[in-house]
Amino acid sequence: MSIIVSPSILSADFANLERDIKKVEDSGADWLHIDVMDGHFVPNITIGVPVVKSLRRITKMPLDVHLMIENPQNYIEAFSKAGADIITFHYEAVKEPIEIINKIRSYGIKAGISIKPKTEPENIIPYLKYTDMVLIMTVEPGFGGQTFISECAQKIKIIKQYGSKDLIIQVDGGINDKTGKICTDFGANSLVAGSYIYNSENIKQAINSLKN
Ligand code: DX5
Ligand code: ZN
């Protein structure tokens, strides 16, 4: 499986989202990572369903929606109808992960389950056979531009060991060419990067450096 690069628009200019999305699309990005925050599950508020709906009209890239919200089950239908192709929820935010995964998949899209830095990977092993993707957070969720927590990368090995060969293992937080390589060496096959891509002088080069 080649590396799926998913630029996070959290580091884009929200007054120029279309321009900034075209920049990554034209530079070979595979997916578009959209960080949804509710000010409860994480101490920040970002974007919601109407923005996803509008973005659906301006890009062909799969929309990789990362829900950092409480009660994600209440918003799955709305995000899928808005055009999400992948919906990831947090293990810490739900009681019955399998129900959430099945609900996401019932809309014909991919489901992801995510763990925060302090959550042990063993907690989600029972769900690996039901899910399309695991998102291992390598920073505390809430903000872009934080420093990669290297201990979190160790979790990739455990998920890789128990997951099927088709499982997408994504990492998010502090990813650049160096930390991305650490993660792909451990078995990650999808890299989310916000500040590294959007702050770089040459976006195409930055995306390529994550792919190779
Ligand atoms: C953080 C978000 C990330 C964020 C990553 O809670 O989930 O997707 O945009 O930003 P960087 O790549 O700058 O760490
Ligand atoms: Zn994210």
Side-chain angles (χ1 to χ4, degrees):
M1 209 190 288
S2 58
I3 306 295
I4 299 164
V5 175
S6 191
S8 167
I9 58 166
L10 194 56
S11 293
D13 176 358
F14 278 21
N16 288 289
L17 271 182
E18 181 169 13
R19 180 199 68 189
D20 281 3
I21 288 168
K22 290 275 181 262
K23 273 189 199 168
V24 295
E25 188 162 23
D26 294 343
S27 301
D30 300 289
W31 292 355
L32 192 68
H33 188 81
I34 303 174
D35 288 302
V36 175
M37 307 187 189
D38 66 354
H40 293 276
F41 183 73
V42 288
N44 195 7
I45 300 175
T46 53
I47 59 188
V49 173
V51 175
V52 173
K53 196 173 172 194
S54 295
L55 297 185
R56 181 67 293 167
R57 287 192 279 110
I58 59 118
T59 178
K60 290 196 171 59
M61 285 185 285
L63 302 180
D64 169 26
V65 176
H66 178 190
L67 299 181
M68 286 160 276
I69 62 175
E70 287 176 1
N71 300 311
Q73 65 279 0
N74 297 346
Y75 300 92
I76 290 164
E77 181 175 8
F79 278 106
S80 75
K81 288 190 172 158
D85 296 278
I86 303 104
I87 294 182
T88 299
F89 65 94
H90 269 267
Y91 164 76
E92 301 86 357
V94 303
K95 288 196 183 71
E96 301 290 347
I98 296 177
E99 278 177 24
I100 315 284
I101 291 169
N102 288 342
K103 181 156 188 182
I104 297 170
R105 285 177 141 186
S106 76
Y107 293 99
I109 60 176
K110 287 189 167 65
I113 182 167
S114 182
I115 50 171
K116 298 203 282 184
K118 292 192 182 81
T119 303
E120 296 300 334
E122 285 77 9
N123 288 298
I124 59 166
I125 288 171
Y127 313 114
L128 297 183
K129 60 175 179 286
Y130 302 100
T131 193
D132 300 288
M133 181 167 93
V134 168
L135 166 52
I136 297 172
M137 289 304 299
T138 42
V139 299
E140 281 298 336
F143 299 91
Q146 303 181 76
T147 305
F148 180 78
I149 304 169
S150 55
E151 296 78 47
C152 294
Q154 302 292 331
K155 297 178 187 177
I156 299 166
K157 286 196 270 188
I158 295 169
I159 298 300
K160 173 100 182 143
Q161 184 186 342
Y162 290 94
S164 80
K165 65 167 184 18
D166 296 326
L167 181 69
I168 302 168
I169 304 178
Q170 185 177 64
V171 287
D172 180 11
I175 299 298
N176 56 36
D177 51 344
K178 291 177 190 68
T179 57
K181 168 116 177 48
I182 295 170
C183 294
T184 53
D185 283 349
F186 280 147
N189 45 25
S190 176
L191 302 175
V192 174
S195 51
Y196 173 65
I197 290 176
Y198 276 108
N199 295 345
S200 78
E201 299 278 306
N202 186 332
I203 286 187
K204 193 167 193 159
Q205 216 167 53
I207 291 175
N208 273 333
S209 75
L210 297 175
K211 287 197 186 205
N212 303 309

